[in-house]
Amino acid sequence: MRRLAALVGVIALATGCGYQSRYSPPDGWRARPVYSGNDVEWVGAQQVPRCASEVEEESVQGWAAPPPMVIDERGRWARGGVHVHLWHVGPHPRLHPVYPAYGFIPNPPGPHRLLFPGLGAARGGRGFWSSSGGSSSGGGKGAGMVAALALAIVVVASSGIAVGLAADPPEDGDVAGSIDSINRFNDEARRKIAACYEAARAAAPPTPGAAEAAVEVEVVEEAGAW
Amino acid sequence: MSLRALTLGLAVASGCAPAMTGYVPQHVAQAELTLHYDGRMRIDSGGQPLAWGPRYDGLAEHVACVPRAHEHARKAQRMGRWRRGLAWTGGALGVASLGGLSGFAFIGSDPTTAFTLLGSGLGAAALGIIMAGSSRAAGNRAHGNAIDAMNFYNDAVGSVGGRCGARPPIAAPSLVEGPLVEGPLVEGPSPPPRAVMIGPTRGSL
C-alpha cells in the first residue's frame, strides 16, 4: 500500500501537478491572489464598495469596525487620523453588517466565488511516451538499424522534453494579467473607500481638542445581501 | 547565467517572452505585500521588491510574526530549493541522454554495445523527464505557499498598516482572531520592540 502511494506520488510529481491552496479569504473588500493549479486566481471581493449615501435603505446603528484606513498624502494606504467608535443599538446584536463609520459597504460574507473559474485548471504535463513500434521482421542489419534509429529518435525527443520541462516556468503564461487585475481592483477600491471615509468625516460634527472622535453614522443594510 | 535567465533570453529573442505585470499598485500600506510578475514571481513590500520566486528568500523573515504566514513562507523556500535542484538535475540528465546516441558508432560492429548505449540514453532521458516534471510541481508549490503566506500576512498585519518587528516572535499568539490592539502604529524606519502593532478584529482591510 505504501509503495502504491509512493508510486502515485511520483506520477503526480512527474506530471507537474499544481498547487491547491487552502486559503479562505475573510470578509472584506480586498481582492486576493491565490495560486491554484499553476495559475493565479482572484478570490475575495469582486465589486468596489459603495458609500452609504449611495444606498437608500433602512438605516441602523453599527458596531465594531476595523481601523479606519485612508490614502495619505504620499499615496500610501495608512490609518486615518480619526478613530471611530461604533456601537450597536437595536433589539439584539447582529453579527453580519459591519458597517464602518467611514462610510462604505463592506463586501458581503462568503462564499467567495472565483472570478475567473476555470482559468486555474491545472495543466497536466502529459507524458510523452510515443509508442514507436519497432518492426521485428527477422534479424539482419537492416532491422537492427531501424530499431536503433527509432530508439535514437525517442532519446532525442525525450531529451528535449526533459530540458523543456526543466527550463519552462511552471506558472501559467497569463499570471501577469490576473495579478494586474487584482492590484488595479484593490487600488480602485481603496480610492473609493478613502473618498467615502472623507465624506463621512466631513459630515461628522467637529470635536474640538479631541484626537479621537466618536461618530455615529448610518449603517446601510441591504436586505438579504449579507 | 542561470537556466532561467538563459530561457528568458531565448524566449525574448524568439518573441515568446512571458507577459509581465505592468500595473504598479498606488495605494499600498507601508509593509503590505503585493504580488508581481517580471518573468518570475515577485513579492513587493510597501512597493519595494522583497522576494523572487521560486526561492522567495527573505519572505519568511518578513512575515515571521504571523505564524501561518511564516509556516507557508518556509514551505515556499523549501519547495523553491527543490524546484531549482530538480530542474537542473533533470535538464542535465536530458542533455546527457544524448550521449546515448554514441551507440550508433557500434551499430555495425557491436550491436549489443550499441543498444546498451542507446538504452542508457533513453533511461537517462526518462529520468530527466521525471525529475524535470517534479521540479515543476515543486515550483507550483513554492508559488502557492508564498502567495498563501502573503495573504495570511496581509490579512493579519500588512493591509492594516502594521508590520513585523525586527525579532521574529516564535511564541506570538495568533493575530487573526485576536482583539484589536490599539498600539502605536509603526511609522518611519524604526520598528517597535514588539512584533505586531495591530490586528483586525473582524473582516479585513
Side-chain angles (χ1 to χ4, degrees):
Chain A
M1 194 65 185
R2 185 173 291 179
R3 285 181 182 177
L4 182 64
L7 179 65
V8 170
V10 167
I11 291 172
L13 284 172
T15 53
C17 64
Y19 176 81
Q20 291 303 321
S21 172
R22 294 196 191 97
Y23 172 77
S24 177
D27 300 337
W29 48 262
R30 193 162 56 83
R32 279 96 163 162
V34 164
Y35 200 79
S36 179
N38 64 344
D39 199 1
V40 171
E41 292 183 346
W42 175 332
V43 297
Q46 299 169 17
Q47 290 181 333
V48 174
R50 289 179 295 168
C51 294
S53 58
E54 295 172 0
V55 182
E56 293 182 4
E57 288 287 342
E58 179 191 1
S59 298
V60 296
Q61 301 296 327
W63 54 279
M69 303 288 287
V70 297
I71 297 172
D72 66 11
E73 65 277 1
R74 285 181 289 181
R76 293 191 317 187
W77 187 238
R79 294 190 74 185
V82 177
H83 185 76
V84 180
H85 295 285
L86 297 171
W87 55 87
H88 176 83
V89 178
H92 53 80
R94 275 178 284 189
L95 294 178
H96 43 273
V98 183
Y99 184 69
Y102 36 93
F104 65 91
I105 310 296
N107 192 53
H112 298 286
R113 288 189 298 110
L114 294 177
L115 197 59
F116 303 117
L119 279 181
R123 286 184 174 179
R126 184 179 286 184
F128 206 81
W129 302 103
S130 59
S131 59
S132 57
S135 63
S136 56
S137 57
K141 285 186 179 178
M145 182 60 84
V146 168
L149 271 173
L151 198 54
I153 289 170
V154 174
V155 167
V156 171
S158 303
S159 169
I161 292 168
V163 173
L165 283 174
D168 186 45
E171 60 269 15
D172 193 81
D174 63 351
V175 291
S178 303
I179 295 169
D180 270 344
S181 301
I182 292 166
N183 287 336
R184 189 177 287 113
F185 172 87
N186 283 335
D187 269 354
E188 189 182 348
R190 283 178 173 177
R191 276 193 286 270
K192 179 69 174 179
I193 290 167
C196 293
Y197 178 62
E198 288 301 322
R201 187 160 61 171
T207 311
E212 295 185 347
V215 182
E216 283 189 51
V217 295
E218 292 184 342
V219 174
V220 181
E221 179 183 6
E222 289 181 303
W226 306 102
Chain B
M1 180 186 290
S2 70
L3 190 63
R4 169 61 67 106
L6 179 65
T7 309
L8 199 58
L10 289 173
V12 169
S14 62
C16 301
M20 300 181 188
T21 48
Y23 184 79
V24 179
Q26 305 293 312
H27 310 300
V28 180
Q30 62 168 350
E32 184 177 10
L33 299 180
T34 51
L35 186 63
H36 305 266
Y37 189 77
D38 56 6
R40 290 188 294 173
M41 290 286 192
R42 191 186 83 217
I43 292 179
D44 287 7
S45 170
Q48 298 298 317
L50 172 71
W52 279 268
R55 295 182 61 171
Y56 297 101
D57 289 330
L59 179 62
E61 291 77 13
H62 188 86
V63 303
C65 61
V66 183
R68 291 188 75 180
H70 191 225
E71 178 188 343
H72 279 284
R74 291 184 59 170
K75 277 185 189 172
Q77 286 183 322
R78 196 162 56 243
M79 285 294 119
R81 285 195 293 270
W82 274 103
R83 156 69 182 169
R84 174 163 288 196
L86 286 168
W88 274 106
T89 309
L93 279 171
V95 172
S97 68
L98 294 175
L101 298 179
S102 62
F104 271 111
F106 304 94
I107 196 71
S109 58
D110 187 355
T112 304
T113 304
F115 279 100
T116 301
L117 286 170
L118 283 167
S120 302
L122 182 60
L127 194 57
I129 288 174
I130 291 174
M131 297 191 83
S134 302
S135 81
R136 294 174 65 83
N140 281 329
R141 280 164 176 71
H143 296 325
N145 277 294
I147 294 173
D148 280 352
M150 183 186 84
N151 284 325
F152 283 121
Y153 168 83
N154 280 342
D155 289 346
V157 178
S159 70
V160 290
R163 59 181 290 181
C164 293
R167 283 178 294 183
I170 302 302
S174 173
L175 297 168
V176 176
E177 298 168 359
L180 174 64
V181 180
E182 287 293 338
L185 183 66
V186 180
E187 293 290 349
S190 58
R194 298 298 296 177
V196 177
M197 297 330 103
I198 189 171
T201 51
R202 53 184 300 148
S204 71
L205 291 170

